[in-house]
């Protein structure tokens, strides 16, 4: 009997039935901020041009970072670039093209989101009781707040629990912090401290109300 009890206890622990491992519930003021660095990410598009000795090698081709985090370019083939800044990417291309040309001149810059590219500043995921679940890109101004993200997701549904929106943020050490946000209070009581500026990888979940 004791053996069965211990086995059951082990299964419960493995399944996380005694709470979420690595997730800490904090207040809005305790949530650790992050730093948004524009960088090449999956889905981000860049416009690349290369010339050498005054002659064009590559005429402003638009390339997109693949799901495997690379971009394929003539002569140098695949370039692993996810996580690089645009300056680091340009330096890497210059080094790679130098194997074929003398003093190549490389230009690389982000394709604007208005032209179909993903945001180099990252994105957040909005799920639950909203009109349109999915990814919301962080704009160049890096000031995407909770309320703005919900608005960009089409707003909360009729049965949404407006007092219990949950924001989950991944920490650098692999743990997570979670904040419960009263979105109604942001408007009715001016609780602007809860209208948190979002970071890349944040997840907003809008549960349904229990009544």
């Amino acid at each position: 009997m004791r053996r069965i009890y211990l086995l059951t206890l082990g299964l419960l622990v493995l399944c996380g039935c005694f709470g979420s491992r690595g997730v800490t519930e904090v207040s809005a003021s305790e949530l650790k901020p992050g730093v948004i660095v524009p960088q090449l990410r999956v889905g981000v598009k860049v416009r690349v041009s290369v010339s050498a000795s005054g002659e064009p090698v590559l005429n402003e081709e638009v390339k997109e970072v693949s799901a495997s985090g690379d971009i394929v370019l003539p002569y140098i083939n695949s370039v692993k670039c996810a996580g690089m800044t645009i300056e680091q990417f340009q330096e890497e291309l210059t080094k790679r093209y130098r194997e074929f040309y003398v003093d190549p001149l490389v230009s690389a810059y982000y394709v604007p989101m208005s032209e179909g590219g993903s945001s180099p500043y990252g994105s957040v995921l909005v799920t639950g009781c909203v009109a349109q679940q999915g990814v919301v890109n962080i704009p160049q101004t890096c000031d995407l707040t909770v309320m703005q993200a919900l608005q960009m997701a089409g707003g909360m549904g009729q049965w949404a629990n407006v007092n219990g929106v949950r924001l989950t943020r991944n920490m650098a050490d692999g743990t997570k912090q979670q904040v419960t946000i009263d979105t109604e209070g942001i408007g009715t009581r001016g609780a602007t401290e809860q209208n948190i500026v979002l970071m890349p990888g944040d997840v907003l979940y809008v549960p349904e109300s229990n009544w």
Side-chain angles (χ1 to χ4, degrees):
M1 186 72 177
R2 178 177 172 79
R3 184 178 179 183
I4 294 175
Y5 169 77
L6 290 173
L7 179 60
T8 303
L9 180 62
L11 288 172
L12 287 171
V13 171
L14 287 173
C15 293
C17 297
F18 290 130
S20 300
R21 296 183 61 191
V23 180
T24 304
E25 185 75 24
V26 298
S27 66
S29 62
E30 294 171 324
L31 181 66
K32 293 181 181 178
V35 178
I36 302 178
V37 178
Q39 57 187 226
L40 292 164
R41 308 168 191 267
V42 173
V44 168
K45 293 181 180 179
V46 292
R47 186 170 279 113
V48 182
S49 62
V50 182
S51 63
S53 302
E55 296 295 325
V57 175
L58 190 63
N59 279 320
E60 288 205 346
E61 285 198 22
V62 173
K63 297 290 183 178
E64 181 176 333
V65 182
S66 71
S68 57
D70 62 358
I71 283 177
V72 177
L73 290 165
Y75 303 111
I76 60 175
N77 298 319
S78 175
V79 180
K80 278 286 182 185
C81 57
M84 288 183 178
T85 64
I86 198 71
E87 293 80 13
Q88 291 169 334
F89 179 60
Q90 191 165 296
E91 288 173 7
E92 177 65 18
L93 295 189
T94 301
K95 183 178 73 174
R96 298 277 288 271
Y97 273 107
R98 197 173 284 133
E99 297 176 9
F100 300 92
Y101 300 96
V102 176
D103 296 328
L105 182 61
V106 177
S107 173
Y109 52 95
Y110 297 116
V111 173
M113 287 186 286
S114 59
E115 296 181 25
S118 295
S119 171
Y121 300 88
S123 60
V124 303
L125 179 64
V126 182
T127 66
C129 192
V130 292
Q132 298 174 339
Q133 298 186 72
V135 169
V136 174
N137 283 316
I138 295 174
Q140 184 176 353
T141 51
C142 300
D143 59 357
L144 180 68
T145 64
V146 168
M147 296 304 289
Q148 287 172 332
L150 292 173
Q151 183 180 21
M152 292 174 72
M156 292 182 281
Q158 181 180 359
W159 308 111
N161 180 358
V162 296
N163 309 117
V165 175
R166 292 202 294 273
L167 165 61
T168 303
R169 176 167 295 173
N170 295 308
M171 299 291 106
D173 61 1
T175 61
K176 301 176 187 290
Q177 285 190 329
Q178 191 171 87
V179 180
T180 300
I181 298 169
D182 177 6
T183 57
E184 187 176 40
I186 294 173
T188 60
R189 297 193 302 277
T192 54
E193 72 280 356
Q194 295 208 31
N195 194 20
I196 297 165
V197 175
L198 301 176
M199 295 290 117
D202 281 357
V203 177
L204 271 182
Y205 171 67
V206 181
E208 289 190 357
S209 176
N210 293 324
W211 48 271

